[in-house]
Amino acid sequence: MVGNINKALVLGATGGIGGEVARQLRDAGWQVRALKRGGTTAQEEHDGMTWLRGDAMNRNDVMAAAAGCTVIVHAVNPPGYRRWNELVLPMLDNTVAAALDHGATIVLPGTVYNYGPDAFAQLQEDSPQQPVTRKGAIRVELERRLQVASTQGCRVIIVRAGDFFGPKSGNNWFGQGLIKPGQPVTRVSLPGRAGVGHQWSYLPDVARAMVGLLARRDTLEPFARFHLAGHWDADGQQMAKAIQRAVERRTGMTPKLQAFPWWLITLAAPFNPTLRELREMRYLWNEAVRMGNLRLTEVLGHEPHTPLDQAVEATLEGMGCLTTR
């Protein structure tokens, strides 16, 4: 058992939060395995991690990859969010089966989607979950299944955070709604209603919090849930202004602020799964929804927190948006 104590399997290591957690576990001295679809070889070593060819939808692949691991990070999503409602729960069931078989702790990056307006505006870890969207309902079921698993022999840690942004982030509002990855920033879109606050979470900070919690996993309750405070954008414009400042510092240009084209998303959503996801979450831009971190700080003593301007500049740099003209 001693030899396995720092071995983790990360599902979704090619994505935003999964990749960040994998790298930070590696840097903290963990042996990290990552399951990857479509690899050319059954196993390869690079980036200080072991990459295994396999699919989170295949239970045998997950079971084999999890052998000897005491932690499974479940950060996987269907490619391009296609068939999300059909694939998300079966993938989780495979993770649960592997965790129960190997006695592993499951870590799930959580969201606010599983809460409805009845729980707004200040969300607690145990606030009632009455979602108003299909995605939210699936999130509730994900957590319910994990709670059941926690009574059957495995531990569960859920870390809920605001909208992700970061240098290596995947599908998120920062890169899909506010700016365009890989292009100079000439405009920044504002998705929310004027004056409505919004919560953001910098991926490296989220990952550091998860790694810190994992170091204390044996002291936590079997089904442990935590909220991150992240970066609170009090009027819905602070993130956009931080982007402006970063671009000005690096290029001398000042991007314009503009309203997000919700009308265009509505027209195009029937033909694009990603845009459908964006439209379904619009309610979170029309109301202020905020999470506090009291429970997290009671355990860790603090919440990892990178200053906003530093985090935004690193994000834009990583997304290839700070080319000097």
Side-chain angles (χ1 to χ4, degrees):
M1 181 70 178
V2 173
N4 295 333
I5 198 165
N6 282 330
K7 186 177 291 185
L9 169 65
V10 179
L11 303 178
T14 58
I17 183 60
E20 195 63 55
V21 175
R23 288 185 291 273
Q24 294 207 25
L25 284 171
R26 173 202 63 195
D27 294 346
W30 288 68
Q31 297 176 44
V32 178
R33 292 179 184 170
L35 200 63
K36 181 180 180 180
R37 286 183 296 264
T40 56
T41 58
Q43 178 176 325
E44 55 183 307
E45 306 286 333
H46 62 83
D47 298 328
M49 295 179 269
T50 300
W51 293 82
L52 304 173
R53 185 174 59 204
D55 193 328
M57 279 296 295
N58 185 310
R59 181 162 299 191
N60 290 335
D61 287 352
V62 178
M63 295 288 282
C69 293
T70 54
V71 166
I72 303 176
V73 179
H74 187 89
V76 64
N77 280 302
Y81 285 93
R82 291 185 295 273
R83 298 172 60 205
W84 201 88
N85 59 332
E86 300 173 39
L87 302 180
V88 167
L89 292 174
M91 286 193 295
L92 181 79
D93 289 341
N94 292 341
T95 292
V96 167
L100 290 174
D101 191 60
H102 298 296
T105 296
I106 299 173
V107 182
L108 177 76
T111 70
V112 300
Y113 301 159
N114 36 318
Y115 295 106
D118 62 307
F120 297 166
Q122 187 75 25
L123 298 178
Q124 307 298 331
E125 284 84 352
D126 55 359
S127 293
Q129 298 188 12
Q130 304 290 338
V132 295
T133 66
R134 294 169 301 156
K135 193 170 184 178
I138 292 173
R139 278 280 173 181
V140 171
E141 180 60 16
L142 280 174
E143 293 197 10
R144 188 196 69 79
R145 294 188 187 190
L146 287 173
Q147 186 168 20
V148 171
S150 73
T151 68
Q152 297 173 340
C154 74
R155 291 179 173 272
V156 174
I157 299 173
I158 297 174
V159 179
R160 304 191 189 110
D163 274 322
F164 290 151
F165 70 107
K168 297 180 182 294
S169 54
N171 296 324
N172 57 55
W173 265 101
F174 190 101
Q176 293 176 308
L178 273 64
I179 63 168
K180 295 181 179 180
Q183 299 182 21
V185 182
T186 59
R187 300 176 185 274
V188 183
S189 293
L190 300 170
R193 288 196 297 115
V196 174
H198 195 77
Q199 195 159 20
W200 295 91
S201 291
Y202 186 50
L203 280 172
D205 292 340
V206 179
R208 272 191 285 274
M210 289 180 173
V211 172
L213 290 169
L214 280 172
R216 298 161 176 79
R217 63 190 182 281
D218 291 338
T219 69
L220 304 176
E221 58 194 52
F223 185 66
R225 297 163 293 177
F226 299 92
H227 286 176
L228 271 68
H231 290 276
W232 177 245
D233 183 342
D235 64 359
Q237 293 201 3
Q238 299 311 302
M239 177 60 80
K241 290 179 179 178
I243 294 172
Q244 281 185 316
R245 289 193 296 271
V247 174
E248 287 171 352
R249 283 193 300 271
R250 294 289 293 274
T251 71
M253 307 294 291
T254 303
K256 296 179 180 179
L257 303 186
Q258 64 180 18
F260 184 78
W262 283 109
W263 64 272
L264 185 59
I265 299 300
T266 299
L267 288 177
F271 312 102
N272 186 300
T274 300
L275 296 182
R276 281 200 296 273
E277 296 289 337
L278 293 179
R279 185 182 61 174
E280 191 175 55
M281 295 300 117
R282 184 176 184 178
Y283 75 101
L284 293 171
W285 291 100
N286 291 331
E287 297 185 58
V289 184
R290 192 173 188 180
M291 296 180 287
N293 63 0
L294 179 60
R295 187 171 295 182
L296 179 77
T297 56
E298 286 175 347
V299 173
L300 295 185
H302 72 288
E303 176 182 327
H305 188 80
T306 303
L308 181 61
D309 279 15
Q310 179 183 334
V312 167
E313 185 163 347
T315 299
L316 293 173
E317 178 74 38
M319 296 173 71
C321 295
L322 290 180
T323 302
T324 304
R325 293 182 177 180

